[in-house]
Amino acid sequence: VWGSPDPSIPSDNFSIEWSGWINIPKNGVYKFITENDNGVKLFIDGKPLIDKWIQTFPTTNIAEVNLNPGWHTIVLDYNEENGTGKINLQWQKPGAVKEIIPSSVLSPDPPFKN
């Protein structure tokens, strides 16, 4: 996302949080990569993986985490202060190349009932 995530939100001085679930296909070490201009935080299962809540020029952050197959919570927080806002979240599955996380493995709601 470049600039504002929605026309109703100004292009500067905003924060946004995306939260939901991510389906991990197989056991292994996953890399999560953010490309961002200004602050970003990424949590998987409540564990902070990336915590760079600072004003910065476009930068890349990489975190690795060992995950088991199945659904996990995911939260991405982003803060745009001024200038050109940018946020991009990618992953690298074990033995694969870096890619944008496909929407087919994301869900805004719990994918199961207790």
Side-chain angles (χ1 to χ4, degrees), residues 37-110:
D37 181 352
N38 289 321
V40 65
K41 292 183 182 183
L42 176 67
F43 302 84
I44 302 286
D45 293 332
K47 177 183 175 186
L49 297 182
I50 296 172
D51 187 356
K52 300 290 183 177
W53 204 248
I54 57 173
Q55 186 173 359
T56 183
F57 292 105
T59 189
T60 299
N61 301 287
I62 301 171
E64 293 185 354
V65 62
N66 190 13
L67 294 171
N68 294 321
W71 289 97
H72 298 262
T73 60
I74 184 168
V75 176
L76 178 66
D77 292 328
Y78 173 68
N79 176 45
E80 166 54 19
E81 292 190 23
N82 56 43
T84 304
K86 177 185 181 181
I87 183 66
N88 184 355
L89 177 62
Q90 301 174 57
W91 71 351
Q92 185 174 348
K93 299 182 289 188
V97 297
K98 177 177 74 168
E99 65 179 347
I100 297 289
I101 300 173
S103 61
S104 61
V105 301
L106 297 170
S107 176
D109 300 311

Side-chain angles (χ1 to χ4, degrees), residues 23-30 66-70 93-96:
N23 193 9
I24 299 300
K26 65 180 183 176
N27 188 48
V29 175
Y30 286 74
N66 190 13
L67 294 171
N68 294 321
K93 299 182 289 188

